[in-house]
Amino acid sequence: MKKSLSVVLSTAVALSMFSSMAFAKTSADFSDLKELDAATQAKFDAMISAGIFDGVSDTTFGLKDEMNRAQFAKVAALIMGLDVNKDLTASSFNDVSVDDPANGYALPYIEALKEAGVTDGYAEGQYNPAGKVTKEQLATFLVRVLGKDADAKAMTGEDATVSDWAQGYVALALELKLLANGEDGTFGGQANATRDLLLTGAYEAKQQYVPAGKVSVTEAKATGVQQVTVSFNKPVDTEKATLSLKKGTADVATTVKFADDKKSAVLSLTDVKVGEGDYTVTLSGLDADAVEKTTATFIGEKEAVKSIEFASAGDTVAYSKQATVRVKPLNQYGEVASFSAGDYSVYTTDGSATLSKDSVDGTLIVKMNTMDITGVVQGASMIPVTVYHNDTRISAQKTFKLGNTSFISKIELGDAKYSNGSALSDKGDYLEVPVRELDQYGNVVTADQLEADGINDNLNAVITPYESNIAVTYDKDSEGTNRIVKMTLSDKLDKNGEYTATIYGGASSETMKFNVKAAAVVTKVEFGSFTGTLAAGDGLDGTDAQYIPVIGYDASGNKLSTTDLVNDTNIERIKISASGNVHAVDAAGNASAQLIKTGEHAGSIKLTVDKTAANGTAYISANISEMNANDYKYMNLPIGKARVADTMTVATDSKKKGIGTSDTDLVVKVKDQYGADLKNIVGDTTENGKAVSYDVYMTVTSVSTDAANTGTGFTVVGKDDNAAFTTAPIIGDNVKQNFTITPDKFDIFNDGFTINTNNTIGKAEVKFELRKTVGDGTPSVIRTITKTFEGLNAAKADLTYSVSQPGEAYAFLDNAENFGALGTALTANYGGSKVAKEITVSAKDSAGDEVAIPNQVQRATTGDPNVAKAVIGDGVHGDAGKAYVMGNEAGTTDVTVLYETLKGELKSVNTSVTVKNEMPAVASITANGDKTIADGSDISIDSIMDLAVKDQFGDEFKDGNQVTYNAILGLTYAVEDVVGEGNITIDQDNGTISIDSTVKGFTLKVVAPNGKTASTAVTVAVLN
């Protein structure tokens, strides 16, 4: 009896059958292959799909079944690509018979092996088809396949479980990782080989096999409607090799992707489909003496529908205005046919059912209204659906049970499509990811169905690592089938990166990865224009620091954006220096050699000036000292005297007249000698050796009162932080009230005042005197501003009225359920809502002067309440006398406003409002550039940032309203660039921040879902 299997392989034998045979099954079809790891599963799929292996039954692979010689003969013949005559019925071996029920199938394969000289049998005249193959025999076969018989004979081994003759073969098989030792560290060479070892060993040998001889194109064939697969007899040099495709004599544009083993390539047609005609694939680019056959031809055929099948996971369809089932028409390549939805027809109980294409995989989506079918009962009725191809009449029919309304239970992601190449790089680059949403029955929930049924999919994408310059928006595809998640690069980034998008929808989530390429790096700098003045004491005692802008350029001379200039790479490359009693500081006021990173002064040098630096010179420099870039810039600036009060100006002028309970704003600002707003006077100011002080003396006078007056008197109320400067009601003739505003209060004085009429008829005067006092002398007035305000008699005033226009509004009421408690609250009472459009009445007198009047709207109605609704404020929900129009559904409707004149006349005016079903998005965010605060807990973020947020409809959210409406705005707060030790905690829900006493400063940032941001540089200090 022979001790080894006789295997003789010529160098011409190839393993190319792995990549060229047709297949139908995969590992997923076999129950005992379900637990394979991904790498092993891929090997099994390659062998099964190549037709070299099959299961021992339709559902079982026989993973650990012992392999017999008949099975081995079939695998060996197929791997080697031998010519197998399957019509043979007689064997040269007397123990091989076609009538053998167990092994007769192997007769033609056994004869092929003998004809090729691979085997001469087991014994004289016998093959022993039922005999087992040992592991060491398998190792020998695999080594000889690779042409390494001599190498194996030169090796030795000491494994006691391996026969002496096989020691070298086993040792080399282990070294080449064709096979592996068992858990006990031995090979077990005389044990019988199992089917899993044969498959994995043969797969590994195939990866390493390189036949001798020249490269030849062995086959080309259409494997898809826009795909041609080309096979080679051996690996090709993919750095040199090129492939081209012609139809007849005409070039066909393709993209080429070589397989990892370099033995095949796929040509993807970019512009056309494979059609009827003769095609030729040509291999070029390789050295002529290394190539034997450079072309292969095939006959193309036009795409045809071969079958239609339902792709829906179950047999239930939702109760919906836009219920769906998926249908998969297949072409001759087993692909989803590329024909348009118009090439098919659908018949179902809903006579208005339609077909559309799924943008994820091209399957057909049947859309039907199962809610309005007469007599249907959820859970009982049956809905038959028939789809057929119009040209071939190939059809499919299935009957579905009518279920309940849909909810999102799962999402699936389609292939990402980049706007530019395969990565985000430049500002404005984007990628779009189709999101297929599935209901509880496994049917697609289309974007149109979401709207029709009012389903909230809660679609949300979270990018990690977080990057503020990647904005996420949400839309739907052109067919109204799938949602689209769009990720847009709002600015260049400084380094390459791979990002993960976790996309949430309903109760499911999926992840995908995408790439961002590096942006420009700064190599040269220059100073921008500085139009201000350096003065002694700048940046101290609550006064403004000064900022010198810096401009950066990359190696190509391109000017960098501010974002690029202050990215993590560039901020470290640019070193800042300041001297001459001037200091470069960070956002928190601590010494720094870097540019300011965030806020309105990003990309600038922040400077503070010593109080004693007047009449000196500031020396500022910016330097880059890197291996491939060296640049140095400097500038000298004179330092002026400390800032003092020089004049006052009117920033916001009040209306000259008012009636009833009206009010008007007046903002007056103190200016220094350099023309800037003066917040405080730093240090001691002297003149001729005497101390000099400044203040603003404010006088409010009731000049006269009409005899018919019934009001309570004029009041002047300080705005915002200026509220301490508020008068009591003043009425009568020449009644006065005075305030003295000292320099430490100039900053809050500059916030301004509100003048209230309070039904007073008469005149009031507000006078501001900027005064200077030298030593113990009498104050001298530097500048006087006087404003006179008249309270008119409503019965006598001759006024012309106008009504404000509502413009465009969001369809909030129709979408209210998407916003939780906020939606519920505003649906019940939307008066005063920030997403409602406010309508007010204004007036002018006969002289053309605008007159402050109280709110006078009495009633407002809309022509179509389905589009918009209107309500009058009641003092709790909105200001009394104002109208509020709230969008309901998309459309345009008239708005009729009834208002009362101050003489008691009722007048009406018609206007209109346009409502859009367009989710509010942040159009702009503004915030304080910097703020000094004390540490503490639960500090309002708005009190620090003074945020003002506007959406695309012009709605403004400020004074803390951005917290109330954050269910709509989706703002997120973050802390960066912390100086000092300790913790900073943000309560996102309540919009507050808690700061440890050991923190010295930080940057507070707010980010909108679309990438809009604003920042405030915060200094933490002990405040008096």
Side-chain angles (χ1 to χ4, degrees):
M1 184 178 290
K2 298 179 181 178
K3 296 298 184 182
S4 67
L5 181 67
S6 176
V7 181
V8 180
L9 298 175
S10 73
T11 56
V13 174
L15 297 177
S16 60
M17 292 295 293
F18 282 136
S19 59
S20 63
M21 292 190 65
F23 63 91
K25 288 188 174 183
T26 68
S27 60
D29 296 304
F30 300 105
S31 59
D32 53 344
L33 301 184
K34 301 292 187 184
E35 302 302 322
L36 297 178
D37 60 73
T40 305
Q41 185 181 40
K43 298 174 184 178
F44 273 71
D45 283 339
M47 301 296 282
I48 294 170
S49 64
I52 296 171
F53 274 85
D54 199 354
V56 297
S57 72
D58 286 341
T59 59
T60 304
F61 183 79
L63 189 65
K64 293 299 182 182
D65 287 4
E66 292 181 348
M67 178 183 66
N68 65 28
R69 290 168 57 83
Q71 294 170 347
F72 180 83
K74 177 183 176 182
V75 172
L78 291 177
I79 286 175
M80 296 165 61
L82 299 181
D83 184 12
V84 178
N85 182 2
K86 294 184 179 180
D87 294 328
L88 284 177
T89 58
S91 173
S92 58
F93 297 104
N94 57 33
D95 61 347
V96 177
S97 172
V98 72
D99 296 324
D100 181 350
N103 301 307
Y105 72 90
L107 186 152
Y109 301 103
I110 294 170
E111 292 304 312
L113 289 177
K114 182 179 180 182
E115 180 69 22
V118 175
T119 183
D120 56 5
Y122 184 78
E124 189 66 33
Q126 295 181 345
Y127 181 76
N128 189 21
K132 305 300 182 182
V133 177
T134 65
K135 289 179 65 177
E136 59 191 25
Q137 289 173 339
L138 177 59
T140 302
F141 163 72
L142 295 174
V143 167
R144 287 175 174 170
V145 163
L146 295 179
K148 296 183 180 293
D149 189 77
D151 295 340
K153 290 179 177 178
M155 296 184 71
T156 59
E158 298 179 355
D159 190 332
T161 67
V162 176
S163 301
D164 291 342
W165 67 266
Q167 289 285 353
Y169 292 100
V170 170
L172 185 55
L174 293 172
E175 181 180 303
L176 296 175
K177 297 182 179 179
L178 303 176
L179 298 169
N181 280 326
E183 293 182 358
D184 63 355
T186 65
F187 186 70
Q190 298 177 46
N192 291 332
T194 51
R195 285 164 56 83
D196 61 330
L197 290 179
L198 173 61
L199 187 148
T200 55
Y203 179 87
E204 295 298 339
K206 179 259 182 180
Q207 304 305 309
Q208 301 178 38
Y209 179 73
V210 179
K214 297 180 179 182
V215 172
S216 288
V217 179
T218 58
E219 183 184 34
K221 64 179 180 179
T223 51
V225 71
Q226 286 189 288
Q227 179 175 292
V228 174
T229 299
V230 183
S231 300
F232 314 106
N233 67 325
K234 61 184 297 183
V236 299
D237 185 348
T238 56
E239 295 295 323
K240 297 180 179 179
T242 60
L243 290 167
S244 60
L245 178 66
K246 286 182 180 289
K247 181 181 181 182
T249 59
D251 292 328
V252 179
T254 64
T255 59
V256 179
K257 180 175 178 58
F258 287 94
D260 291 341
D261 63 6
K262 303 180 182 181
K263 295 179 182 179
S264 65
V266 172
L267 280 64
S268 298
L269 284 65
T270 57
D271 302 323
V272 296
K273 303 177 184 179
V274 174
E276 292 180 321
D278 295 328
Y279 288 82
T280 302
V281 173
T282 301
L283 171 67
S284 57
L286 301 179
D287 296 337
D289 57 359
V291 181
E292 183 172 342
K293 186 173 181 289
T294 60
T295 63
T297 61
F298 67 93
I299 299 174
E301 58 183 22
K302 67 178 181 180
E303 184 181 22
V305 174
K306 294 299 183 181
S307 66
I308 298 176
E309 59 188 44
F310 282 85
S312 295
D315 58 2
T316 304
V317 66
Y319 183 67
S320 167
K321 294 180 180 179
Q322 286 258 352
T324 70
V325 293
R326 288 175 60 218
V327 180
K328 185 185 293 185
L330 300 176
N331 63 20
Q332 63 267 47
Y333 307 108
E335 303 171 316
V336 175
S338 63
F339 300 109
S340 70
D343 289 315
Y344 305 86
S345 296
V346 59
Y347 287 98
T348 184
T349 313
D350 172 21
S352 60
T354 61
L355 286 165
S356 65
K357 295 276 280 189
D358 189 325
S359 61
V360 171
D361 61 8
T363 53
L364 295 176
I365 304 293
V366 178
K367 300 178 182 179
M368 49 190 167
N369 185 346
T370 58
M371 280 188 176
D372 295 340
I373 300 174
T374 304
V376 296
V377 178
Q378 296 181 58
S381 295
M382 306 302 289
I383 308 294
V385 179
T386 300
V387 176
Y388 68 86
H389 183 235
N390 296 335
D391 289 342
T392 63
R393 292 307 194 193
I394 292 173
S395 65
Q397 192 277 334
K398 187 174 181 179
T399 300
F400 292 86
K401 183 178 180 180
L402 182 62
N404 298 317
T405 55
S406 294
F407 60 84
I408 308 300
S409 65
K410 183 181 179 182
I411 64 171
E412 297 173 346
L413 305 184
D415 293 335
K417 297 180 180 178
Y418 288 87
S419 63
N420 183 18
S422 59
L424 304 180
S425 178
D426 203 358
K427 180 178 180 180
D429 283 356
Y430 64 87
L431 65 89
E432 293 180 331
V433 182
V435 181
R436 176 194 288 154
E437 300 180 313
L438 303 176
D439 66 13
Q440 67 271 36
Y441 306 118
N443 297 320
V444 173
V445 179
T446 67
D448 288 343
Q449 184 182 353
L450 294 175
E451 297 178 7
D453 291 353
I455 300 171
N456 182 14
D457 60 358
N458 292 312
L459 190 64
N460 183 41
V462 177
I463 309 298
T464 53
Y466 170 75
E467 173 51 62
S468 63
N469 286 313
I470 300 177
V472 182
T473 55
Y474 308 91
D475 204 343
K476 60 183 179 181
D477 62 25
S478 59
E479 296 284 351
T481 300
N482 295 304
R483 297 296 305 276
I484 299 294
V485 175
K486 183 177 182 180
M487 286 162 271
T488 304
L489 196 61
S490 57
D491 219 326
K492 294 179 180 180
L493 301 185
D494 64 302
K495 57 185 178 181
N496 294 330
E498 182 181 69
Y499 292 82
T500 298
T502 302
I503 299 176
Y504 299 87
S508 177
S509 67
E510 292 289 338
T511 61
M512 57 84 63
K513 295 184 182 296
F514 62 96
N515 296 313
V516 177
K517 290 183 179 179
V521 175
V522 64
T523 60
K524 179 182 177 183
V525 293
E526 62 184 34
F527 293 108
S529 175
F530 175 63
T531 58
T533 302
L534 285 182
D538 279 352
L540 307 178
D541 298 342
T543 61
D544 289 334
Q546 298 300 312
Y547 295 87
I548 309 297
V550 173
I551 300 169
Y553 299 88
D554 65 17
S556 300
N558 299 311
K559 182 179 177 180
L560 301 184
S561 68
T562 300
T563 301
D564 285 339
L565 183 65
V566 298
N567 66 37
D568 290 342
T569 298
N570 291 335
I571 205 76
E572 294 292 337
R573 291 167 67 90
I574 304 171
K575 304 301 182 185
I576 303 303
S577 176
S579 59
N581 293 320
V582 175
H583 311 279
V585 297
D586 60 18
N590 301 299
S592 172
Q594 294 183 347
L595 299 176
I596 297 297
K597 291 185 64 174
T598 56
E600 64 177 313
H601 299 296
S604 296
I605 303 170
K606 181 177 181 181
L607 298 176
T608 61
V609 186
D610 291 346
K611 296 177 182 179
T612 58
N615 301 318
T617 300
Y619 305 94
I620 303 108
S621 67
N623 176 46
I624 298 174
S625 181
E626 300 289 337
M627 181 177 296
N628 298 317
N630 285 279
D631 191 38
Y632 178 80
K633 296 292 188 300
Y634 70 93
M635 68 184 308
N636 300 334
L637 291 173
I639 302 173
K641 293 182 178 180
R643 300 175 187 273
V644 296
D646 184 68
T647 188
M648 291 186 299
T649 61
V650 177
T652 301
D653 206 353
S654 60
K655 296 180 177 66
K656 297 179 180 179
K657 302 168 185 176
I659 296 177
T661 57
S662 64
D663 57 60
T664 183
D665 290 341
L666 173 63
V667 179
V668 173
K669 293 183 179 291
V670 180
K671 299 284 187 176
D672 63 27
Q673 68 269 42
Y674 306 111
D677 292 351
L678 185 62
K679 292 185 174 182
N680 193 7
I681 295 177
V682 177
D684 299 326
T685 303
T686 61
E687 188 175 296
N688 297 323
K690 296 182 178 180
V692 177
S693 62
Y694 298 83
D695 62 35
V696 174
Y697 190 70
M698 173 180 166
T699 305
V700 182
T701 305
S702 174
V703 178
S704 63
T705 303
D706 192 285
N709 180 68
T710 59
T712 58
F714 298 105
T715 56
V716 178
V717 179
K719 294 173 64 66
D720 301 328
D721 293 333
N722 197 11
F725 305 120
T726 299
T727 67
I730 53 175
I731 191 169
D733 295 339
N734 203 32
V735 177
K736 299 177 182 289
Q737 189 167 351
N738 302 315
F739 295 97
T740 299
I741 296 96
T742 55
D744 60 325
K745 299 294 189 296
F746 282 174
D747 188 24
I748 59 174
F749 168 83
N750 290 343
D751 290 336
F753 301 85
T754 298
I755 302 173
N756 298 304
T757 310
N758 298 321
N759 292 306
T760 306
I761 302 173
K763 291 185 178 180
E765 179 185 270
V766 183
K767 182 164 68 173
F768 304 94
E769 296 175 296
L770 178 61
R771 305 188 305 181
K772 173 183 178 181
T773 302
V774 179
D776 296 328
T778 302
S780 60
V781 177
I782 302 173
R783 174 84 163 90
T784 300
I785 293 176
T786 302
K787 292 293 177 181
T788 300
F789 181 78
E790 183 177 1
L792 300 179
N793 187 328
K796 297 179 181 179
D798 182 16
L799 302 180
T800 302
Y801 297 86
S802 60
V803 174
S804 62
Q805 301 297 308
E808 294 181 344
Y810 169 53
F812 181 86
L813 295 177
D814 194 42
N815 295 281
E817 63 182 21
N818 299 333
F819 303 110
L822 176 65
T824 301
L826 295 187
T827 299
N829 296 288
Y830 54 84
S833 165
K834 295 303 178 182
V835 291
K837 309 309 290 188
E838 184 179 288
I839 298 179
T840 59
V841 178
S842 59
K844 291 183 178 180
D845 64 12
S846 56
D849 293 330
E850 191 170 353
V851 178
I853 63 171
N855 303 317
Q856 293 292 108
V857 180
Q858 303 298 305
R859 185 182 180 190
T861 58
T862 60
D864 186 353
N866 290 323
V867 174
K869 298 181 180 181
V871 69
I872 304 301
D874 58 9
V876 177
H877 302 102
D879 296 335
K882 287 184 180 180
Y884 298 90
V885 178
M886 181 71 96
N888 190 16
E889 297 179 355
T892 300
T893 183
D894 293 332
V895 181
T896 300
V897 179
L898 182 70
Y899 66 91
E900 183 180 8
T901 70
L902 294 174
K903 293 181 179 179
E905 303 166 326
L906 291 177
K907 294 187 177 183
S908 66
V909 64
N910 288 326
T911 183
S912 65
V913 64
T914 297
V915 178
K916 294 185 176 181
N917 194 16
E918 179 182 303
M919 178 70 180
V922 173
S924 66
I925 310 177
T926 60
N928 286 328
D930 50 61
K931 182 77 172 181
T932 299
I933 64 170
D935 61 85
S937 300
D938 298 326
I939 303 169
S940 164
I941 289 176
D942 189 66
S943 69
I944 300 172
M945 302 189 76
D946 192 19
L947 288 173
V949 182
K950 286 187 177 181
D951 65 18
Q952 73 271 39
F953 299 108
D955 303 322
E956 187 171 26
F957 307 85
K958 61 180 183 178
D959 300 328
N961 277 319
Q962 66 274 7
V963 177
T964 304
Y965 289 85
N966 207 37
I968 298 174
L969 299 174
L971 301 178
T972 302
Y973 303 97
V975 168
E976 298 177 345
D977 307 322
V978 178
V979 178
E981 303 294 332
N983 295 321
I984 300 175
T985 305
I986 292 178
D987 185 335
Q988 299 284 351
D989 293 333
N990 294 314
T992 60
I993 188 169
S994 298
I995 308 163
D996 285 355
S997 60
T998 50
V999 174
K1000 303 302 181 186
F1002 57 92
T1003 297
L1004 184 57
K1005 176 183 282 189
V1006 59
V1007 184
N1010 61 3
K1012 300 283 186 181
T1013 66
S1015 301
T1016 299
V1018 181
T1019 301
V1020 182
V1022 177
L1023 302 179
N1024 296 325

